[in-house]
């Protein structure tokens, strides 16, 4: 008992396990987003689109991984791989032809 509250070790252990599982699930996505940001930094200025759109897509990707049910079993590397490959493809198109990069986005 501390400050009038009781901290049950089992509850704390369960919360720590849930937090660890969530961190383990989101790690591949965060690494893929870092690779995507690095790859898109090589694109010519003004060819990728508004930064707020890229930020919104990154936030949605992380929320999609975090919001999955704890009992769900799925491969978290596949969405991360899709993020990395899509950013690499967009960067290559932007470097080859900026006009095509705008068409690729929308």
């Amino acid at each position: 008992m501390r400050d009038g509250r009781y901290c049950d070790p089992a509850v704390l252990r369960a919360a720590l396990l849930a937090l660890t599982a969530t961190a383990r699930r989101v790690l591949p996505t965060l690494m893929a987003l870092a690779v995507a940001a690095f790859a898109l930094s090589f694109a010519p200025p003004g060819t990728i689109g508004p930064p707020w759109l890229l930020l919104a897509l990154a936030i949605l990707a992380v929320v999609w991984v975090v919001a999955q049910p704890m009992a769900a079993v799925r491969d978290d590397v596949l969405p991360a791989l899709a993020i990395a490959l899509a950013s690499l493809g967009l960067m290559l198109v932007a470097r080859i032809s900026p006009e095509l990069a705008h068409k690729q986005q929308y």
Side-chain angles (χ1 to χ4, degrees):
M1 186 164 208
R2 183 173 45 171
D3 297 335
R5 290 186 224 142
Y6 177 70
C7 296
D8 187 14
V11 172
L12 292 176
R13 191 174 304 116
L16 182 63
L17 287 174
L19 183 64
T20 304
T22 302
R24 202 174 321 130
R25 286 179 172 180
V26 79
L27 184 64
T29 302
L30 291 176
M31 289 175 24
L33 287 172
V35 168
F38 181 71
L40 292 177
S41 70
F42 291 110
T47 58
I48 297 299
W52 64 267
L53 181 62
L54 296 175
L55 182 64
L57 290 173
I59 290 170
L60 284 173
V62 171
V63 167
W64 184 77
V65 172
V66 171
Q68 74 179 349
M70 293 304 287
V73 178
R74 64 181 182 197
D75 190 2
D76 294 318
V77 176
L78 289 177
L81 185 62
I83 291 169
L85 289 176
S87 65
L88 180 66
L90 184 59
M91 185 268 304
L92 290 173
V93 169
R95 289 189 59 122
I96 292 171
S97 174
E99 297 83 30
L100 289 177
H102 285 290
K103 290 180 182 179
Q104 184 84 16
Q105 288 178 7
Y106 306 109

